[in-house]
Every structure is written in structure tokens, then in C-alpha cells.
Amino acid sequence: MKNKINFGAIIVYYVIAVACRYAAVKTNLLSGIENPYLVILLRGVGPALGALAAIKIFSLHNPMSLKGIYKNAIVPFVIYWLLPAVLIAGAYYVTIGKFPILLMFTVLAYGLLEEIGWRGFLQEQLKSLSKFTSILIIAVLWFAWHLNLETTPSNMIFLGIIFFGTWGIGKVYSSTGSLLAVAGVHSLNNFFRNGLHETELVLIVILLVIWIGFIILYNRKYKTAVNPA
């Protein structure tokens, strides 16, 4: 029997997520904050707050986990956070002479705040739907949450990226159950918004190959441990 979708919880989640986003990017509410890292985090906190509020208000059984199928959180932290942070910060250092490791981890934390909502909550709430329908709904809501709805070519490309990202990150979450893992994958795009054009593709390919290979190998080990011959 498929789980019934709690539309009330989804509405509460999305209203809070959008309200926080609007306050952060469309008003001067954050203008007095001097710490740029805190500003980044506040721009992405809405989905996490919305998810936690909806779960609390509606008493939902919506378990979330940083570690997922892994034995502890150290494994996904090293593979999906430490590895890309050091690799990309190192590439920045070679290219522009800076080693912005704090910025890298801030971007990862931003991705985690979003993923608590999009994958940890919304994907779980919509799992009774067909995969395509679930992906389409999440992609449209995720795109609209950015509050940039002009039908420009760049925005249509962004919508396509969001749709593909919803599918890909959703697959990672289904395979690992780890919010740390999906936060790392989510952050891959955000790492490169200010440069590294020459090395960007190489770094993305390297990380994706490592992550996909790790997921496949670990899942085989995990399934064997759960269902020994």
C-alpha cells in the first residue's frame, strides 16, 4: 500500500522555504550582517526550516540521516565533503593563489540546508508517486524557490539543470540515504560560480567518477552484508 501524501505538510514546508528565501535575497534583511559566510547560509536555510517545521507540526515519520547506509558519518564526510573541499580549494590556490577552504565548507553546509528539504523531506513525501512525476514536481518547486522566474534562455537552461540535478541527486539519495552525500553532490555546481573555467570540467568529472564508483562498490558491500549468501 502506498503512503498517502500529506499535502498540508508540503504546503507548510514550501511556504516557509520560499518566505525565508524571499527575505534573504529580495529584501535588505541581511544587509547588516558583515560575515559573508553567514549570509550564504541564511540564503539556503529555508528548506531545512520548512522541513523541520512540517515534520513537527504534522508529527510525520520522516527519518533523515547524515550517514545513511554508511557505518558512521565520517565516511560520507570524507568522501563527499573533505575530498571535494580540499581538491577544489587546491585548484583555486593553483589558479588564483588563494586556498578558500572555509568558503568550500560553507558552500557544502549551504547544500546540506537545501537538501534537508528537497531530498530529505520532499522526495520522501512524494515517494509514492512515479519517479518522473516526483522529479518533475521537485524540479519545478526547486526552480521557483530561487525566485528568478524570467523566461530567459539562461533561466531555461537553469531549469534543465535543475531537472537533471533532481534526477541525479535523487538517485544518490535513494542509493545512500545520506544527507552528507547529497549535499556534496548538490554543491558541485555552486563551487564554480566565480571562476575556475579551465579546470572546472576536469574536477567535476574526477569527483563524479570517484563518487559513482564509491556508491556502486559500497552498495554491493552493503547489500552483501544485509543479505549474506
Side-chain angles (χ1 to χ4, degrees), residues 166-181:
T166 300
W167 169 79
I169 301 173
K171 291 279 287 184
V172 173
Y173 191 66
S174 298
S175 299
T176 68
S178 169
L179 288 171
L180 287 176

Side-chain angles (χ1 to χ4, degrees), residues 79-194:
I79 298 297
Y80 299 98
W81 282 50
L82 188 59
L83 174 64
V86 172
L87 182 63
I88 295 168
Y92 267 101
Y93 181 77
V94 171
T95 306
I96 61 177
K98 295 182 180 180
F99 190 70
I101 193 69
L102 181 57
L103 175 61
M104 298 297 101
F105 278 103
T106 302
V107 172
L108 285 159
Y110 173 94
L112 177 61
L113 291 172
E114 278 205 46
E115 288 306 316
I116 288 172
W118 303 120
R119 250 54 61 181
F121 174 78
L122 190 54
Q123 180 170 309
E124 283 295 308
Q125 290 301 309
L126 299 177
K127 63 183 180 182
S128 62
L129 301 177
S130 69
K131 286 187 177 181
F132 178 81
T133 302
S134 174
I135 290 170
L136 182 61
I137 292 173
I138 295 171
V140 170
L141 293 180
W142 190 11
F143 174 77
W145 173 81
H146 287 86
L147 302 180
N148 189 3
L149 304 178
E150 296 179 6
T151 55
T152 61
S154 61
N155 267 1
M156 294 303 97
I157 293 173
F158 181 59
L159 177 59
I161 293 172
I162 287 285
F163 184 86
F164 179 76
T166 300
W167 169 79
I169 301 173
K171 291 279 287 184
V172 173
Y173 191 66
S174 298
S175 299
T176 68
S178 169
L179 288 171
L180 287 176
V182 292
V185 178
H186 175 126
S187 300
L188 202 54
N189 176 63
N190 294 336
F191 281 134
F192 302 108
R193 290 193 171 178
N194 295 316

Side-chain angles (χ1 to χ4, degrees), residues 2 4 23 36-38 49 52 59 69 123-124 138 166 178 200 213:
K2 292 185 176 181
K4 186 176 180 181
Y37 304 115
L38 180 58
L49 292 180
L52 296 176
S59 301
I69 66 171
Q123 180 170 309
E124 283 295 308
I138 295 171
T166 300
S178 169
E200 177 177 334

Side-chain angles (χ1 to χ4, degrees), residues 36-51:
Y37 304 115
L38 180 58
V39 171
I40 291 173
L41 294 177
L42 290 175
R43 287 176 177 170
V45 75
L49 292 180

